[in-house]
Amino acid sequence: MSTRRSVAFIGSECYPFVKTGGLGDVMYALPKALTKQNCDVKVILPRYKCIPWKYQEKMVYRGSFNMDLCADGRSFYVGIMEYVWDGVVYDFIDNEDFFGYGSPYTNLIDDIPRYCFFAKAALAALNYMNWIPDVIHCHDWQAALGPVFLRTLFAHTPIGNAKSILTIHNLRFQGIYNIETIKYWTNLPDYVFNKDALTQDWVNANLLKGGLNYCDMITTVSNTYAGEIQTPFYGEGLDAHLRFHARKLRGIVNGIDCDLWNSATDEKLAVPYDITDVLTKKRENKQAMQEQLGLVQDDHMFVVGLISRLTDQKGLDLVNAVISPMLDGHTQIVVLGTGDEKYENAFRHYEGSHKGMVCSNIMYDEGRAHRIYAGCDALLVPSLFEPCGLTQLIAMRYGTIPIVRETGGLKDTVEPYNQFNNTGNGFTFDRYESGLLLDAINRAKTLYFTNRWCWDEMVQRDMDKDVSWDSSAAQYRALYLELKP
Ligand code: ADP
């Protein structure tokens, strides 16, 4: 524990400033956990216009400079706005042209230039502030040019001494765009556009692929996913590239922030609860949720939740196929999510056709998410692929039993229930088939309705499970120590 390490996190989103999914949670919780383990952490983020004013107004101007960016010598303003909170320093890269509009991700035409700018500006800002960390830790494709710039244009600057880690939170998104455009916006030397680094095919470059090549270490967010992405099915076209770099690839499972997700102190809940009174208080939360959401008010119902981006990744075609057979008069379904129109409409349809038994909340709402985690008996996560998944961890912490497909982090974090020795944390199925999902739901229901004693024990076992960041943050720290400057 004695050696101190300094790390700069570079990524495109971070709770509570801006969050669209699990990456935002990790960018918030992991730095916080690392500061408790003898690490100095700076988090570098874009200063999006959509960051709430209550945070913007507390940011302090740290300096600014002009930075060359494009192949034709065009340069851009880089402002640094700082915000210190809970031992973590957040430095926001300010530029009106790139971040002065819309939500974080719009379309690649705009996103490619803004994240080329961001990755370079982040490194330049570290040099400017003269804060040279031992490690720069980049996240997903938006920051994947970090390691590429570090070993090329920044190699002979102070930051060039740092080691780099690239973490894959979701391999599906890679930042692929035509070579000419990326050459223009990065002014990177031609040799990085070879087929082992940035080049994807004759026309396109792939930012993530380049980053994976140039970083010192690759991590992804669970052990199982680290193996899966080296296979064609999960590899999203990069499986061969990842097999080639396998010796520097590790899986470290995510945790959740246990202060943020704490049912005993959660002010968003109707009634807070802990492991000692969960059985009665969860019922009260269920009743309050049923009332709020317009469901039939009956605490004997088996209530199943789904909190998710509504995209193909999340196994929603399976969910669609099992909704009708699930609804047996004793089961209710609560959906919270936004995403593909086809899924949004399908869930709206089910709410209309099963009034009082299905509630579809097609929205993004943090408070409601907390109340659904607390009010449901079980949570569905039947993903086609899932790098780690946080919703099953939050569910367990709130005494809600996860029903998951055995893939990626879901497999690593949810031990299947074993009826013979009464162990496990949830219900699981393996192949991607709706029949198997329905079977898992029915096994859960059977236990819930016919053997409540064992169900309740599992609820308490799940609440007791360590889903915090402590052990994973220690693994990241060990990795930082391994990467000697
Ligand atoms: P992904 O990153 O693939 O979207 P994760 O399971 O890793 O999935 O993380 C999802 C996070 O986003 C969780 O914290 C979950 O509670 C939250 N979330 C997802 N959809 C919504 C929503 N509609 N409203 C509020 N929170 C949501």
Side-chain angles (χ1 to χ4, degrees):
M1 190 49 92
S2 56
T3 319
R4 204 160 171 85
R5 273 284 175 269
S6 52
V7 193
F9 270 56
I10 305 177
S12 58
E13 57 180 271
C14 177
Y15 175 89
F17 312 109
V18 51
K19 165 180 159 183
T20 70
L23 171 62
D25 288 313
V26 176
M27 290 287 291
Y28 164 73
L30 178 55
K32 226 178 107 187
L34 284 167
T35 56
K36 297 197 185 106
Q37 301 199 11
N38 207 15
C39 291
D40 280 327
V41 192
K42 249 188 207 298
V43 181
I44 304 188
L45 298 161
R47 186 197 182 182
Y48 302 109
K49 193 160 197 167
C50 63
I51 295 173
W53 179 244
K54 65 176 175 188
Y55 303 115
Q56 302 253 16
E57 68 177 353
K58 290 195 197 118
M59 294 177 187
V60 177
Y61 174 77
R62 251 320 280 274
S64 63
F65 54 93
N66 271 313
M67 178 184 79
D68 290 340
L69 183 69
C70 302
D72 59 5
R74 237 168 114 191
S75 71
F76 288 89
Y77 168 86
V78 179
I80 307 170
M81 302 295 288
E82 197 161 89
Y83 181 73
V84 185
W85 181 36
D86 245 356
V88 180
V89 180
Y90 298 87
D91 280 314
F92 292 86
I93 301 294
D94 189 21
N95 179 293
E96 274 291 306
D97 294 340
F98 291 113
F99 305 125
Y101 60 91
S103 50
Y105 317 120
T106 44
N107 53 65
L108 280 183
I109 299 175
D110 294 326
D111 288 351
I112 290 288
R114 74 201 312 210
Y115 292 116
C116 287
F117 165 80
F118 172 62
K120 189 169 183 186
L123 299 183
L126 289 169
N127 273 341
Y128 174 87
M129 293 185 281
N130 198 17
W131 197 82
I132 307 304
D134 299 309
V135 179
I136 66 157
H137 190 159
C138 300
H139 298 265
D140 272 353
W141 77 263
Q142 294 90 348
L145 281 178
V148 185
F149 282 126
L150 195 68
R151 297 289 169 252
T152 53
L153 305 181
F154 286 82
H156 304 294
T157 70
I159 191 74
N161 295 317
K163 296 286 180 182
S164 67
I165 298 181
L166 179 55
T167 295
I168 304 170
H169 294 263
N170 192 337
L171 190 60
R172 176 147 289 183
F173 309 109
Q174 301 176 4
I176 299 175
Y177 213 69
N178 71 66
I179 294 173
E180 289 317 309
T181 306
I182 290 176
K183 273 190 176 169
Y184 173 75
W185 282 103
T186 58
N187 197 24
L188 279 164
D190 280 344
Y191 65 83
V192 305
F193 292 89
N194 71 66
K195 70 170 180 37
D196 294 326
L198 268 166
T199 294
Q200 164 92 358
D201 53 39
W202 295 111
V203 238
N204 289 313
N206 181 329
L207 303 190
L208 186 72
K209 186 172 175 230
L212 295 174
N213 185 65
Y214 278 94
C215 67
D216 296 299
M217 194 62 94
I218 305 167
T219 72
T220 186
V221 289
S222 69
N223 236 328
T224 297
Y225 194 61
E228 284 174 343
I229 56 178
Q230 297 179 51
T231 66
F233 182 80
Y234 293 99
E236 306 284 348
L238 287 186
D239 49 299
H241 192 63
L242 286 159
R243 285 197 300 277
F244 181 79
H245 289 291
R247 70 186 160 77
K248 61 173 185 183
L249 170 62
R250 302 270 176 89
I252 301 178
V253 79
N254 286 338
I256 55 172
D257 188 285
C258 289
D259 300 328
L260 201 64
W261 297 105
N262 182 353
S263 59
T265 55
D266 193 334
E267 287 170 1
K268 301 185 174 82
L269 305 189
V271 247
Y273 58 93
D274 60 26
I275 195 164
T276 60
D277 58 6
V278 53
L279 304 176
T280 49
K281 296 284 176 59
K282 202 166 184 27
R283 208 177 306 140
E284 291 173 37
N285 278 298
K286 186 196 279 191
Q287 287 165 337
M289 180 182 75
Q290 287 172 324
E291 190 183 343
Q292 190 199 7
L293 300 182
L295 291 165
V296 172
Q297 290 179 47
D298 175 354
D299 62 22
H300 296 296
M301 290 281 177
F302 180 63
V303 185
V304 183
L306 177 86
I307 300 178
S308 176
R309 287 183 292 118
L310 303 180
T311 65
D312 291 334
Q313 176 197 334
K314 299 294 181 178
L316 300 170
D317 45 348
L318 301 190
V319 176
N320 265 329
V322 303
I323 283 193
S324 294
M326 264 173 85
L327 292 166
D328 53 8
H330 307 287
T331 304
Q332 294 178 335
I333 302 171
V334 178
V335 177
L336 174 65
T338 57
D340 295 355
E341 209 169 315
K342 64 177 174 183
Y343 294 124
E344 292 188 347
N345 288 338
F347 287 123
R348 285 194 187 102
H349 161 80
Y350 284 117
E351 175 174 287
S353 60
H354 299 276
K355 273 253 158 323
M357 299 307 259
V358 177
C359 178
S360 301
N361 304 273
I362 307 301
M363 62 183 77
Y364 190 95
D365 184 337
E366 290 277 345
R368 202 169 284 220
H370 283 245
R371 289 186 287 277
I372 295 173
Y373 284 118
C376 289
D377 296 296
L379 188 89
L380 288 186
V381 200
S383 306
L384 175 62
F385 67 94
E386 193 60 76
C388 177
L390 297 176
T391 58
Q392 82 282 12
L393 301 179
I394 302 168
M396 288 192 276
R397 178 128 172 97
Y398 277 58
T400 303
I401 304 298
I403 301 176
V404 308
R405 181 166 169 257
E406 290 164 19
T407 182
L410 299 170
K411 187 172 178 181
D412 294 354
T413 56
V414 181
E415 185 195 328
Y417 175 64
N418 180 328
Q419 60 180 351
F420 302 107
N421 51 14
N422 200 27
T423 56
N425 313 107
F427 294 87
T428 72
F429 63 103
D430 54 6
R431 289 190 311 281
Y432 191 75
E433 288 171 21
S434 58
L436 295 184
L437 169 60
L438 186 60
D439 177 63
I441 294 168
N442 285 338
R443 278 183 278 132
K445 268 192 208 172
T446 306
L447 191 73
Y448 183 83
F449 286 116
T450 66
N451 196 346
R452 184 66 67 87
W453 173 259
C454 287
W455 177 277
D456 289 344
E457 272 192 348
M458 181 149 51
V459 167
Q460 288 172 317
R461 197 157 56 238
D462 281 5
M463 289 187 77
D464 203 29
K465 188 176 156 78
D466 181 11
V467 291
S468 75
W469 266 106
D470 296 344
S471 98
S472 302
Q475 291 178 56
Y476 278 108
R477 191 189 132 75
L479 201 61
Y480 301 151
L481 286 171
E482 229 177 273
L483 291 173
K484 293 206 178 61

